[in-house]
Amino acid sequence: MALQISATNPEHPALLLELPWHLPLEEWPDEYLVPLPRGISRHVVRYARAGDEVIAVKELAERPALREYELLRDLDRLGIPAVDPLAVVTGRTAAGDAPLEPVLITRHLGGSMPYRSMFETTMRPATMHRLMDALAVLLVRLHLSGFAWGDCSLSNTLFRRDAGAYAAYLVDAETGDLHPQLSPGQRDYDLDLARVNISGELLDLEASGALHPSVDPIEFGMEICARYGGLWEELTRTSVYPAGKYHYIERRIRRLNELGFDVAEMQIEHSSNGDTVTFVPKVVDAGHHQRQLLRLTGLDTEENQARRLLGDLESWMATQDDYAPGDPLAARPEVLAHRWVRDVFRPTVRAVPLELRGSMDPAEIYHELLEHRWYLSERAQHDIGLDTVVQDYINNILPTARETLLPTPSAD
Ligand SMILES: Nc1ncnc2c1ncn2[C@@H]1O[C@H](COP(=O)(O)OP(=O)(O)O)[C@@H](O)[C@H]1O
Ligand SMILES: [Mg+2]
């Protein structure tokens, strides 16, 4: 059987051909290898050099190799933090034509550490709590996308430092399964596996003397459940607010943004007597808002601006008489969005005199006004109308902000 390399990038096969595929991975000479720390694994895993890149090579049977490769590609498409799949190599033979196991190749996740190496210096409990936070975020993200991990554990996760916290990446997708949606039972089962695995891994560390004495392995296993539960609830619960209190919805969206989740396509429903609104956020990947806002309104903005503007647009849509998502006779979102640009966005921005805008573009001004509305509404504990906000902004904020907003005069 001939050596076959299936790769995501056409440049990779040439680089990969240089590697000694006729040798079992365990016998690869040092000149090909990169000595970086590895986690515990069932299969043989080695890091090797391929051109400028460091790759992780894992030896396993053909079917699971192809399956894991496809699943990692799915996760990439879904915007989930996971290692990048690069290739699968099949048809390997040793001298004398003895078949060798295929390999799955992923890009080495730079700056990442397996948890065991992190514990070597006896990690403080506070740091461990942060790792659990990161792992809970990853598991929630996977579940929201319909991915049941099947073997969530510290060994199957890589951690990267992220502005004082940690970001968790999935490294082992072999046992995973992608569904359109997960049932509560499937999620519970997956979470329970995580709990048992984590407690087991911490018990191992304890036995080898590498665990901080104040850390209880069983309690830490439970902690992943508590963190996951809190996060899931915050992301998916339906809230009911008195009609007109849109800043409550905004408060919830802000909380979700602070947790690192983007919210799109809020479902807002009015009760039949019009007294309450029901709100369910939908969580999405990064860059989503920019594309969505451009499609709906033609406004081309930065991602954070787009998120703010869409939030406002969607709350406003819900106040329109002909807004009825799912009803084929109701106004299409593009039509409502156009009306919002014409009746709300443009007049609001235009109300701020050109000479006071400094270097801010319209999206940034509108964003500033939304910030100011948020601030005034929180202070007043009720919604403040945009007209009032604009006036207050012009009178009280712009005069002090002006100097910093004006383009700086050049030195000459
Ligand atoms: N792309 C990668 N980047 C960094 N480390 C990796 C990568 N792929 C694998 N590893 C390391 O190898 C270990 C084992 O990989 P894994 O896929 O979990 O193998 P197994 O299926 O045998 O459990 C991981 O815990 C991790 O430390
Ligand atoms: Mg593993």
Side-chain angles (χ1 to χ4, degrees):
M1 196 163 54
L3 188 74
Q4 203 181 338
I5 301 181
S6 326
T8 42
N9 179 332
E11 281 170 29
H12 282 129
L15 290 172
L16 295 176
L17 271 175
E18 320 260 307
L19 293 166
W21 296 117
H22 60 285
L23 294 175
L25 203 45
E26 274 187 314
E27 292 171 20
W28 280 21
D30 283 347
E31 64 195 90
Y32 294 102
L33 300 178
V34 183
L36 286 167
R38 283 190 309 268
I40 298 170
S41 62
R42 272 188 305 267
H43 305 100
V44 181
V45 177
R46 292 287 180 274
Y47 304 127
R49 231 177 290 278
D52 299 337
E53 293 204 73
V54 178
I55 58 173
V57 186
K58 164 157 111 173
E59 233 166 21
L60 73 174
E62 179 162 347
R63 272 181 60 172
L66 290 171
R67 192 181 131 71
E68 187 167 6
Y69 180 67
E70 286 308 324
L71 280 170
L72 288 172
R73 290 182 63 156
D74 288 336
L75 293 179
D76 184 38
R77 195 170 41 75
L78 292 166
I80 302 276
V83 292
D84 286 336
L86 295 180
V88 171
V89 181
T90 52
R92 296 171 65 206
T93 44
D97 267 2
L100 290 174
E101 258 195 327
V103 301
L104 167 71
I105 302 176
T106 53
R107 180 177 287 118
H108 177 261
L109 185 69
S112 70
M113 279 166 294
Y115 79 100
R116 280 207 170 243
S117 330
M118 302 176 82
F119 278 93
E120 265 161 19
T121 45
T122 321
M123 186 147 29
R124 288 182 308 123
T127 314
M128 291 189 46
H129 289 299
R130 296 217 300 267
L131 292 186
M132 291 299 149
D133 281 344
L135 190 51
V137 169
L138 176 62
L139 196 57
V140 165
R141 268 190 196 287
L142 287 165
H143 285 179
L144 285 170
S145 304
F147 187 89
W149 195 338
D151 196 14
C152 171
S153 67
L154 293 169
S155 306
N156 288 337
T157 309
L158 289 168
F159 294 97
R160 234 178 357 186
R161 287 181 208 283
D162 175 18
Y166 288 94
Y169 287 72
L170 176 146
V171 64
D172 188 345
E174 200 186 331
T175 47
D177 246 324
L178 193 57
H179 303 265
Q181 209 180 353
L182 296 183
S183 69
Q186 284 171 310
R187 293 194 298 107
D188 281 351
Y189 179 72
D190 215 27
L191 184 59
D192 208 47
L193 283 173
R195 178 182 64 78
V196 172
N197 280 340
I198 292 168
S199 290
E201 289 168 313
L202 294 181
L203 281 167
D204 270 1
L205 283 174
E206 188 175 62
S208 65
L211 198 64
H212 195 280
S214 72
V215 172
D216 177 335
I218 305 299
E219 264 175 33
F220 254 88
M222 316 266 261
E223 181 165 330
I224 186 75
C225 301
R227 305 222 162 203
Y228 172 98
L231 195 54
W232 184 267
E233 170 72 8
E234 185 63 44
L235 285 165
T236 58
R237 83 190 143 86
T238 305
S239 14
V240 180
Y241 300 114
K245 296 272 187 183
Y246 288 104
H247 83 282
Y248 284 165
I249 294 182
E250 198 178 344
R251 186 187 295 174
R252 175 135 183 241
I253 293 174
R254 278 180 170 249
R255 229 176 8 237
L256 292 173
N257 292 159
E258 278 160 18
L259 289 168
F261 288 87
D262 279 345
V263 178
E265 288 185 51
M266 302 182 272
Q267 264 176 16
I268 301 177
E269 275 170 30
H270 287 261
S271 62
S272 51
N273 61 10
D275 285 350
T276 56
V277 281
T278 306
F279 167 64
V280 190
K282 281 196 193 152
V283 174
V284 290
D285 59 321
H288 173 98
H289 299 96
Q290 220 169 4
R291 294 191 293 277
Q292 175 99 341
L293 187 70
L294 186 64
R295 186 176 65 74
L296 281 174
T297 65
L299 295 171
D300 192 1
T301 64
E302 298 295 328
E303 176 67 6
N304 286 334
Q305 293 171 335
R307 178 163 63 206
R308 262 346 267 300
L309 267 56
L310 274 174
D312 186 64
L313 167 63
E314 295 193 16
S315 309
W316 176 86
M317 277 187 185
T319 67
Q320 300 296 293
D321 290 338
D322 49 355
Y323 171 80
D327 178 350
L329 294 176
R332 300 221 325 273
E334 293 80 0
V335 174
L336 289 167
H338 176 71
R339 199 187 298 158
W340 174 83
V341 172
R342 189 191 60 202
D343 297 350
V344 183
F345 179 81
R346 285 219 193 97
T348 306
V349 171
R350 286 203 185 124
V352 180
L354 253 182
E355 63 277 15
L356 297 182
R357 292 187 201 170
S359 53
M360 291 190 290
D361 65 12
E364 188 63 18
I365 292 187
Y366 197 78
H367 162 82
E368 286 286 313
L369 291 169
L370 292 181
E371 282 293 309
H372 197 54
R373 183 179 69 186
W374 159 254
Y375 166 75
L376 292 181
S377 300
E378 277 286 290
R379 202 175 59 179
Q381 286 297 300
H382 63 82
D383 286 351
I384 303 288
L386 261 180
D387 293 345
T388 314
V389 172
V390 172
Q391 276 319 310
D392 194 80
Y393 181 75
I394 295 172
N395 296 338
N396 298 321
I397 303 296
L398 270 182
T400 49
R402 244 185 108 192
E403 278 125 54
T404 53
L405 290 170
L406 285 175
T408 34
S410 57
D412 49 20

